[in-house]
Amino acid sequence: MKLFDVLLAFAALSLLLLLATALRQRLRILQRLGLPEALIAGLLGLAIGPFSPLRLFPERVTAVWSQTPGVLITVVFATLFLGQALPSPRQLWQRSASQVAFGLVLGFGQYLVGGLALLLVLGPLLGTNPLMACLIEVGFEGGHGTAAGMGPSFAELGLASGEALGLAMATVGVLAAVLLGSTLVVIGRRRRWLVSTGASGASANLALEEEAVRRPLLPAGPSPTIDALTVNLALIGAAVGLGVLLKEALVASWPLLKAVPLFPLAMVGGLIVQLLLQRAGKPQLASAPLQHSLGALAMDVLITAAMASLNLPLLEEAWLPFVVLALVGLAWNLAVFWWLAPRLFADAWFERGLADFGQGTGVTATGLLLLRMADPYGRSGVLEAFSFKQLVFEPFLGGGLVTALAPIALVSLGLPAWTALAAALTLAALGFGLLVRRQAQG
C-alpha cells in the first residue's frame, strides 16, 4: 500500500462526507429518518464502490477503506474515558444501577435469542454458522464501529462474512430504532406516559454546556508551547499503546485470546491514562470536548469507510439467516421495552426504557435522539442516569470486553452451552434489576 493511495482514499471519503452533508440538509426525508451523515456517505460510497456497476473508485482506494475501520475503532474506544471526571463507585451505583440492569438484560438477551434461533431453527434447517448467534448484539448493541472492529475476529474464528453481516445488522438497527422509536414516542404521548416538560431542564443543560466551553484545555500558568489538540492526540496514543501491551500480555498467557480485538483494551488503556492524570493532579490535560470531537471524527470516517467497502457478495450467501436474526432481535428489544421497563424503573419508565431501546437497537446517539424527542427539556432526569450508565455498561457490552470475548467463548463452549450461559446472565441481570427496584422503593 502506497502513501498516495492512503491520501487518495482519504480525499474520496472527505468528498463523500461533504456530499452526504449537503444531501441531508436538502432532503427532509433523510432528516426525518435520523440517518447520520456518515452512514449516508457510506451508502453513497457503496453505490459507486467495487461491487457496484459504476465502480468510480479504483480497487487500491477501496483496499484502504477496508483496512480503515479496524484502526479507527481503536481510536474511538481510547477516547471514551479520557477527559471524563470519573465518579465514585457509590455515585455510579446510586444514579445508574437500574439503567445498567435494563441494559444488561437487553444485551445478554440478544445473545440468548440469537443462540435460540440458531439452535432451534437456523442450525437444523439451514446449517448456519453458530457464530452468527453473536450478530444481533454486535450489530444492534455495538453498532457499525463495533461490527467493523469485530470483523477480523469473526474471520479468524471461521465466519468470513462476519464484518459484512454485522455492518448490515447495524444499518437495520439504526433505521429500525428511529422508525420504531418515533412510533413509541407518539404512543407514549397519547397514553400520557411521558413526564411533563418544562424549561428548567433546558436551562440546566445550557449552563452545563457553557461551563464545558469555559473550562481550560490546558493548566493555567505560562502559555504552553504545545497545542491542546496535540496533547490530546498524544494521550490517545498512550491509551492505544497500553492497549497493545495488555493484548500482548493476554496472548502470552492464553494464546486463544489472540482473536480478541484491540479496541476494548484501548478503552482500558484510556481509563488507566485518565486515572494517572487524576492521581498526578493534571486531569485538565485531557479535554473532554476535544476527546469527544476526536472520537466523533474517527467514528464518522470509520462508518463511511466500513459501509463503502461492504462486501455485498458475502451478504448474499447468508441473507435468510440474517433476516431471521434481525427480526428476532427487534422482537426481543420491543418485548423488553414494553414488559420490563415499567417493572424495573421506579420513575420515568418510558423515557428510561426508550433511551436504552434506542441504544440497544441503533447506537448511543439514537438513544439520545429518542430521549430528546420524549423529554425535550430534560425534566425526567434520565439524561444523567443514561450518561452515568455508559461508564459501567460500555466496558463490557456494546463493544466492550464481553462483546470481544463472546465469539471466542461460543467456539470454546459450543452453541448449546453458550446459549445456556446467555440465559443465566440474562436472568441474573433481571434479578439484579428487580433487587435495585425493591431497594429504591424501600
Side-chain angles (χ1 to χ4, degrees):
M1 183 184 301
K2 298 180 180 178
L3 180 60
F4 178 79
D5 297 337
V6 176
L7 294 175
L8 183 60
F10 174 75
L13 289 176
S14 301
L15 290 174
L16 290 172
L17 284 166
L18 289 173
L19 181 58
T21 302
L23 285 174
R24 194 176 189 277
Q25 290 177 349
R26 290 180 177 272
L27 300 179
R28 291 185 178 180
I29 186 173
L30 296 179
Q31 299 172 17
R32 291 175 180 173
L33 288 175
L35 295 180
E37 288 84 350
L39 180 56
I40 299 171
L43 293 173
L44 290 174
L46 186 63
I48 56 179
F51 303 106
S52 166
L54 297 177
R55 298 186 183 181
L56 296 184
F57 294 116
E59 289 187 6
R60 64 179 186 273
V61 169
T62 54
V64 175
W65 289 352
S66 64
Q67 298 180 46
T68 299
V71 176
L72 292 184
I73 188 62
T74 305
V75 175
V76 172
F77 275 76
T79 66
L80 291 181
F81 286 112
L82 290 173
Q84 302 297 322
L86 302 176
S88 66
R90 182 180 180 84
Q91 289 176 314
L92 282 178
W93 170 263
Q94 291 176 340
R95 301 183 188 183
S96 66
S98 58
Q99 209 78 39
V100 170
F102 186 87
L104 290 175
V105 173
L106 199 65
F108 285 132
Q110 289 174 358
Y111 285 121
L112 171 61
V113 297
L116 290 175
L118 263 293
L119 279 175
L120 302 178
V121 180
L122 299 178
L125 297 181
L126 302 177
T128 304
N129 190 319
L131 282 169
M132 288 187 66
C134 297
L135 281 181
I136 299 175
E137 198 276 340
V138 168
F140 283 2
E141 195 75 63
H144 291 86
T146 300
M150 290 295 295
S153 295
F154 278 127
E156 188 165 341
L157 293 171
L159 183 61
S161 59
E163 181 176 350
L165 291 168
L167 289 169
M169 187 71 74
T171 302
V172 170
V174 170
L175 292 171
V178 174
L179 296 175
L180 295 177
S182 301
T183 304
L184 291 175
V185 173
V186 173
I187 295 173
R189 285 186 183 138
R190 289 181 177 177
R191 299 197 178 185
R192 300 184 181 278
W193 288 336
L194 304 182
V195 175
S196 59
T197 59
S200 59
S203 301
N205 290 340
L206 180 60
L208 289 174
E209 292 175 3
E210 291 176 350
E211 177 63 25
V213 171
R214 290 196 300 266
R215 191 179 302 142
L217 299 181
L218 285 175
S223 299
T225 59
I226 187 171
D227 187 79
L229 181 61
T230 307
V231 172
N232 281 268
L233 279 172
L235 292 174
I236 293 173
V240 173
L242 285 173
V244 172
L245 293 177
L246 288 172
K247 181 171 182 177
E248 292 297 324
L250 288 174
V251 173
S253 58
W254 193 7
L256 183 62
L257 295 180
K258 182 181 179 181
V260 174
L262 178 60
F263 64 86
L265 300 177
M267 176 180 60
V268 177
L271 175 61
I272 294 173
V273 171
Q274 182 63 27
L275 288 173
L276 291 175
L277 289 175
Q278 291 185 184
R279 287 286 184 89
K282 302 289 185 179
Q284 61 269 51
L285 284 174
S287 164
L290 281 180
Q291 290 294 331
H292 175 76
S293 295
L294 290 169
L297 169 64
M299 181 61 80
D300 287 340
V301 178
L302 182 159
I303 293 173
T304 303
M307 290 300 300
S309 59
L310 187 62
N311 195 326
L312 294 178
L314 291 178
L315 288 178
E316 295 177 2
E317 300 174 3
W319 71 269
L320 183 55
F322 170 83
V323 170
V324 171
L325 288 171
L327 292 175
V328 167
L330 289 174
W332 168 256
N333 286 5
L334 283 171
V336 169
F337 171 79
W338 284 116
W339 179 80
L340 184 60
R343 293 167 172 80
L344 199 62
F345 297 122
D347 64 305
W349 73 266
F350 190 89
E351 290 86 346
R352 290 177 181 273
L354 186 68
D356 267 293
F357 171 81
Q359 180 186 25
T361 310
V363 291
T364 302
T366 311
L368 293 174
L369 171 66
L370 296 178
L371 178 59
R372 182 175 292 274
M373 291 173 62
D375 183 23
Y377 300 108
R379 284 294 301 274
S380 67
V382 173
L383 180 60
E384 181 187 49
F386 184 73
S387 300
F388 272 89
K389 169 229 175 185
Q390 309 311 318
L391 294 176
V392 181
F393 184 82
E394 289 190 357
F396 300 99
L397 287 171
L401 294 175
V402 173
T403 303
L405 293 173
I408 301 173
L410 191 154
V411 171
S412 301
L413 298 174
L415 184 59
W418 165 251
T419 305
L421 176 60
L425 291 172
T426 303
L427 291 174
L430 177 59
F432 167 67
L434 294 174
L435 176 62
V436 171
R437 168 69 184 267
R438 191 177 301 114
Q439 290 178 342
Q441 290 178 327

